[in-house]
Amino acid sequence: MAKLIACTQEVREEAKQDPEKARSMCQELEDGHILFFPQIPFAFPQEDREFLIHQKQMENASRKNIAYKPHRDVISNLASTDLTKREKETCLQIMRRYTYGVEEFLGSFLSPYKSRWKLDYASFRPMQEKGRNLRKRARNDLLHIDAFPSRPVHGARILRFFTNINPDEARKWITAHTFQELLQIFSKEELLQSLRKRMSPKKRFLRSWKKCLKALGLPITVRSSYDQFMLDFHHFLKENEEYQKNCPKHYWDFPPGSCWLVFPDQRTHAVLEGQYALELTLLVNHQALLNPEQSPVGLLEQFSKQTMIERSYAHFA
Ligand code: SIN
Ligand code: FE
């Protein structure tokens, strides 16, 4: 079962100064636990939070998360809103501040991973999660592990830092098994069969074709076997009614103003309720992990006895 590790100021100071303590924080994450911060552990002005939650136009017009893309320094999904140019610029500045605030904090708190990650996107989640009418595979209230359909990770780990900026309401999560436990719960034969299917001659041919098109400069997404497995597993879990209903669950309330950090590609989770959260995703180099063989890709490679990623597409050489 997941544990919530309270990272008070004292714990944070210790981790900044003592590499052993920082390693133990990384170990908790790699074991699938959640690091919890009662307050935002870096300077993030109250007015920034207020600005975001008062932009009703953003919520109504897009009905989607607002994404900040650090590598291009742009925000998506804002174009169609009624925000003025100045408000859009403010929004960009806030998302940028959040992104680099989180990154700087994690650089000192999780020193074993420092600079061994790539920034993925940050998001502002303005929708009330309770009662959202989404198709099954997009539902956030069903237990799942995270996998990206359009941005394959090629074995890098998905590390996510969340902040509940709602001034009054908690963000409510459930968690269940770790990836390692899931591999034991579901029949090995069933999983192996689906892995073999993915490596069928037809699939291999299609992938080679996609790689050629990508090499020619077309914007084609080439998923590794690992990415494809994780995506299929994400769908498999959300569609598995028996698992959703009967698996033992842990319920968590993340209060207003709190933050939490987790490897969501490892710990099954879902959000039941809550509105207004910020989140930053970092892709952590698999080689930076304390126990790479215990990570989802490490476990899958041992279990399937095949390579699941191609180095040429990996984020880290
Ligand atoms: C998720 O990653 O499943 C959603 C979590 C959240 O928005 O709180
Ligand atoms: Fe998720």
Side-chain angles (χ1 to χ4, degrees), residues 65 123 125 129 132 138-142 144-146 160 162 171-173 234 238 254 260 262 264 269-274 277-279:
N65 295 339
S123 62
R125 302 168 176 227
E129 295 294 336
R132 277 181 86 172
R139 275 176 59 180
N140 295 328
D141 61 334
L142 294 172
H144 62 281
I145 46 153
D146 282 358
R160 289 187 139 168
F162 291 90
R171 198 164 185 89
K172 301 191 177 198
W173 269 35
H234 165 276
K238 284 192 177 172
F254 298 108
W260 59 106
V262 65
H269 61 283
V271 54
L272 300 183
E273 207 176 314
L278 282 168
E279 170 270 339

Side-chain angles (χ1 to χ4, degrees), residues 90-261:
T90 306
C91 190
L92 175 68
Q93 283 168 8
I94 295 174
M95 295 305 286
R96 193 192 289 135
R97 260 200 293 281
Y98 179 76
T99 299
Y100 293 105
V102 174
E103 189 185 32
E104 194 186 342
F105 165 66
L106 292 183
S108 62
F109 181 64
L110 297 180
S111 51
Y113 298 159
K114 185 180 167 133
S115 307
R116 304 194 67 190
W117 54 52
K118 282 196 174 156
L119 291 181
D120 188 63
Y121 296 172
S123 62
F124 171 50
R125 302 168 176 227
M127 303 298 297
Q128 170 54 258
E129 295 294 336
K130 190 175 175 183
R132 277 181 86 172
N133 187 15
L134 295 170
R135 66 198 157 76
K136 199 167 228 176
R137 287 179 177 183
R139 275 176 59 180
N140 295 328
D141 61 334
L142 294 172
L143 285 161
H144 62 281
I145 46 153
D146 282 358
F148 296 159
S150 54
R151 304 194 307 286
V153 297
H154 298 282
R157 296 299 305 278
I158 299 173
L159 180 63
R160 289 187 139 168
F161 187 94
F162 291 90
T163 305
N164 181 8
I165 60 167
N166 190 311
D168 308 310
E169 287 167 20
R171 198 164 185 89
K172 301 191 177 198
W173 269 35
I174 45 174
T175 59
H177 297 103
T178 59
F179 184 81
Q180 189 163 22
E181 289 163 344
L182 293 174
L183 287 187
Q184 279 152 17
I185 291 169
F186 297 106
S187 122
K188 281 204 169 172
E189 215 22 67
E190 194 184 0
L191 292 175
L192 275 176
Q193 254 182 19
S194 86
L195 273 171
R196 280 190 207 108
K197 249 195 259 158
R198 236 174 308 288
M199 297 308 281
S200 70
K202 190 173 153 205
K203 290 249 159 128
R204 273 179 221 238
F205 173 76
L206 269 174
R207 278 211 355 195
S208 316
W209 186 231
K210 278 188 171 183
K211 283 193 217 164
C212 291
L213 293 176
K214 191 176 170 72
L216 288 172
L218 278 124
I220 303 270
T221 301
V222 181
R223 284 187 201 128
S224 60
S225 304
Y226 171 66
D227 287 290
Q228 190 61 51
F229 178 91
M230 295 300 271
L231 195 58
D232 290 347
F233 204 32
H234 165 276
H235 301 338
F236 168 82
L237 288 173
K238 284 192 177 172
E239 284 160 4
N240 190 325
E241 283 173 21
E242 142 73 26
Y243 182 74
Q244 295 292 336
K245 196 161 157 225
N246 296 327
C247 77
K249 300 169 186 77
H250 247 163
Y251 290 78
W252 309 105
D253 280 10
F254 298 108
S258 67
C259 303
W260 59 106
L261 181 63

